[in-house]
Each structure stands twice: as structure tokens, then as C-alpha cells.
Amino acid sequence: RNSACPLDGLTNMSKDLAWRFSQVFGATSPAPVDEADIISTIEFDQTGSFLAVGDRGGRVVVFTRSTPTKTGKLPEYKFLVEFQSHEPSFDYLKSLEIDEKINAIKWLPRRSASRFLLSSNDKTVKLWKIFTKTAHRFTDLNITSDYRGRKEVIKKLKVPKMEIEDVAVMASPCKNYENGHMFQINSVSPNSDQQTFLSADDLRINLWNLDVTSECFQIVDKKPEDMDELSEVITSAEFHPRHCNIFLYSTSKGCVKMADMRANALCDRHSKQFEHTVDSKNSSFFADFLSSISDAKFSRDGKFIIARDYVQLKVWDVRKEKEPFKTFDLHNHLRSRFCELYESDTIFDSFKCCASPDSKYTLTGTYNNKFVIHNIARGTAVNLEAAKFQPHKAAVDLSRKGTINSLNIPLSPAHHRMSNGNAKAAAAHSENLDFTKKILCTAWHPKENVIAIGTASSLFTYNAVDADK
């Protein structure tokens, strides 16, 4: 029973979705974009009613979902508030500049009328409170506006009234979680116990209490005694969505490790390790760069782990460590250009990934302002470009021999033999790629098939409907 496929019986139920453009925020013109305006992270809250966007300038912009006024019109997001979360600073002990770029945003579960979120740059995590402030004024007073202290006879006593003059949404910092990291923070993840959260940098993962800013506990420490022996760094970390004692973290060696805090106070010894070893005969100089996982997340139900590296997106069943449940190729057609990508540092681009609320689909980005939505059960993919007007694209079947991959490029020779015509088409497509146009940040609504895509300084939202409709 335990070895059964978690998606058995769902293949026919998991339909492909037709995606429709909904909104765009920010500049869409081809003009150069200021570095500070580039989007660095996107995050929905637990209800999907709020959407937070962070950029490289240290700003956080929050959108709220509005109720449609017309029948049949889909809900849309509108601007709510913008605030400066982090400022550039300087570490005088290390003579190191600390950028204001927002690396991670996470919403905390709602407990009151106010909303709380965690935002992080390279060194500091901050807790922000977003609330509504109402300004009132008094009317129908018993004195005139030109009263100067002289006595007046009040013939009729009036009861003053208090009216709402203005309503403003504001953001204020509540707590700063500082001095917990020596290296750059790459991940922040709230715990399901609603009392703690973790923050991860290249070598350590810390556990914080939301109410305590003076200390934290190291639950993973990968720093060797001699830094010359360093061979592996942490690239992302996340708590399990349901079990407060379980968390995962990914590494630059291409493996995802799951740890249980009940086993040890220091979780250097993982409980499970998900790693797909590559034959040494097929390895190359770029193997270490390509296998480094840029992002790993649990699915909403906690049954799957999705992990994204530069070339592939893998879906793991948490009960099976030997091999991934599904593997989707993304950048195999770029193998002939790896030298060029390495020299320009493009090969180090960190693409994020996420899963749908029902854990049937995955979402990740690629180049040419395109993003890919994979159907896990069927093994199909839909490849779309972030643009205002989107032509309908049929799903591509990845599960049968002789098909093409999610980028409409013939698969590599390791999957099947390519004809000369297909090989030329793949080469031509790779030559036409614009590596400056890329989608690194993606987010999926926690309850509906609504996605948010970040490309340069533009934020796109899409809604999905059944492909049969």
C-alpha cells in the first residue's frame, strides 16, 4: 500500500487548464528597467486575498483582491500599500556592503484585523504589521469656529458627532531579527505551529521564535572547521505545511534533505535524502552547476516535494527516495551553449517553483519571458509567454516517446533519437533566446487556479479555466 502511486486514479480527473491573461502591473515597454525596480520575490497570503511583491530596491508592494462588480467578471487585484522594508547598509567588521534586495517574503496566518508578514534581505528578517488607520473629525459642536474666549449664550445644546474623515492603509515594523546570519539569507519559512519560523543562509538554518529577537537556535550547521573543505551549501529551506517538526532543505549538490526536529536538537543528520545520481560517464565540467537546486518546496498537502535546478524540475514522492516521481526537462536544448552561459554567469540564474493547491500542477519560469505549467499526473506541459494578449496553446504530452518537451524543443538524445530536422530546429530556437528576459519568480494562489508571474519590473496575473470549456 505504501508504495502505491499517490496519484493513482487521478490521471483522468486531472484536466489540462486553459490559462487566460488577467492583469499586469508595472512597465511593459521594452525600455531599460532600473535595477532597483526588478521584482525579486512574490508571495500570496494563506487566503489568497493579498499578494506581496518585493524588489531589489528593498520595497514591498501589497495588493488586495477586489470583488468584481459585473457578473461573470473574474476578481482582480488592486494596489493596497507600498513601504520600504530594507535599506542598504555596511558591515564594518567584514567591510561588506549589504544590499537592500528583498530575498524572501512570507505571510503569517491572520489572527486579527491586521496582517503580518516577514521580509528578508541578505542579513536581517523583519516582521511588518499592515493595518488600516482611520482618521475622524468632530462636527455639530456647540461653539463656533471663530470662538475666541468671549462668553456666548448657548440657546440649544447639540450632541457632537464623530465622522470618518479618511481611511489609510499603513505598514509599520514590529520586530527585527538581526545578527543571526553570517552569510546571505536565501529562505524564510513560517512554521505551522504559528509560533516559530526558520531562516536559512548558505551554511546554517536558524529557528526563531516570533516573540524573541535576541536569540535563535541553529538546527542545521554545514560550516566546516576549515572553509577550504567547503563542498556544499544550502540553497533553500521550508517547513512542512502540516507537521511543525519536519522541514526540508536543498543543497548545491542536487539533493533535497528532510529532517525531523524531534530526533536531535541539531539536525545535521537528515531523516530522508532525495537525490538522483547521474552516471559519471555523462558528467561534465558544468555538472555541479546544473545539478544545484535553486528552489525546493513541499506541495500543499505535503505528499510531494518539487525541486528546480537549472535544467530540470523534479517531483518527488516523500515516500520514495530512490528516484523522482516525475522529471520535466526545461533547458536541455541549451547544452551546446553552456560555455557561453557560464562566462556570462547566466548559468547561475535561480529559478523558483511552486505547486497548485490540489498538488496536480507545478509552475516555474524560463527565458524569453516564458513560464511552464506541468500536469504531474498526465505528464503534460503548457508553455506560455508573459504578455497581455496570449494565444491559446494546447498542452504538450511529455509522457510518450517521440514527443517534445515543455519548451516545444525536441528532447535530448538520452530520451530518443532526434531527426536532423528536429536537431536544427532545437539549435535555431536556442539561438533565438533572450537571456535578459527571464521569469525567476512565480507564485500560485493557495485555493484557486490563479498564478502571479514576475518578469523584470512587471507583475502578471493569470486565471485558469477548464480546457474543455
Side-chain angles (χ1 to χ4, degrees), residues 110 282 371 438:
R110 188 167 192 170
N282 298 327
F371 58 95
K438 50 193 172 185

Side-chain angles (χ1 to χ4, degrees), residues 17-19 370 381-385 390-396 408 467:
L17 301 174
W19 292 89
K370 292 185 177 180
V382 175
N383 177 33
L384 297 174
E385 181 181 358
Q390 194 67 241
H392 175 73
K393 301 217 175 183
V396 179
N408 296 338

